[in-house]
Amino acid sequence: MSIGPDGDGAARLREMKRSDMAAIMALEEELFPEDAWSPEMFAAEFAQPPSRRLYLVAEQGNALVGYAGMMFTGGSQADVVTLAVAPARWGQGTGSALLMTLVDEAEKRGYEEVLLEVRKDNPRARRLYLRHGFDEVGIRRGYYQPSGVDAVVMRKVLG
């Protein structure tokens, strides 16, 4: 799947591979310096069976410019567990493409809703989720550690 302008400026989505970890960790630490996932957290996610997780990356040329992941609980809800886009790609549809690919997969798998948490102090991400039909349904106080920033819980009903 291509995103954005045709030609060299377009990004493509594909499933994440272990060989993406160095680029993912660099972007993770750039975007989330206070509460970045550790390499061990990503390794634990990769250890999960594909029926329980889906991780995607967005590439532009040979560069990784975004990634996202979803957890499939086996119940009625799926959870977006991470979504990140390189600042140079902000506003070009990369985050939307990653998000909607995950949501579409949840719908295909028969889930009734998608949940996620987003930092309360991240208005750009909150606007992205609101634009794509998510509603703010709650607050998790001090969710992000060690920063202690609250998380806004958001939900999208499918179907």
Side-chain angles (χ1 to χ4, degrees):
M1 167 186 206
S2 287
I3 314 149
D6 291 333
D8 293 339
R12 296 172 315 283
L13 297 187
R14 65 167 171 78
E15 285 196 39
M16 189 183 285
K17 300 182 285 198
R18 287 189 190 277
S19 59
D20 296 321
M21 285 312 343
I24 288 166
M25 290 311 305
L27 189 54
E28 179 80 5
E29 290 166 8
E30 175 187 353
L31 294 172
F32 311 111
E34 293 181 326
D35 45 30
W37 281 23
S38 68
E40 293 79 16
M41 291 170 76
F42 274 107
E45 287 296 296
F46 267 123
Q48 298 293 319
S51 62
R52 305 273 301 161
R53 300 287 191 279
L54 174 62
Y55 280 86
L56 304 171
V57 296
E59 293 180 311
Q60 184 175 16
N62 292 325
L64 188 142
V65 296
Y67 57 90
M70 178 167 272
M71 175 174 59
F72 300 101
T73 60
S76 64
Q77 69 188 41
D79 295 278
V80 175
V81 293
T82 189
L83 193 150
V85 174
R89 287 291 302 187
W90 289 355
Q92 297 181 39
T94 304
S96 290
L98 286 163
L99 177 64
M100 294 318 296
T101 301
L102 292 177
V103 169
D104 289 349
E105 182 63 22
E107 199 155 26
K108 280 185 212 163
R109 293 185 186 200
Y111 286 85
E112 296 172 15
E113 62 184 2
V114 173
L115 294 178
L116 59 84
E117 291 91 12
V118 59
R119 286 177 66 107
K120 189 173 182 182
D121 62 359
N122 188 342
R124 172 182 290 277
R126 288 170 70 184
R127 284 192 304 269
L128 168 72
Y129 302 132
L130 289 167
R131 262 196 330 270
H132 290 289
F134 283 79
D135 295 310
E136 295 183 352
V137 296
I139 299 285
R140 294 184 199 259
R141 303 271 176 229
Y143 181 80
Y144 291 97
Q145 294 300 318
S147 64
V149 173
D150 294 345
V152 177
V153 179
M154 300 185 78
R155 179 180 68 201
K156 178 179 177 76
V157 176
L158 304 177

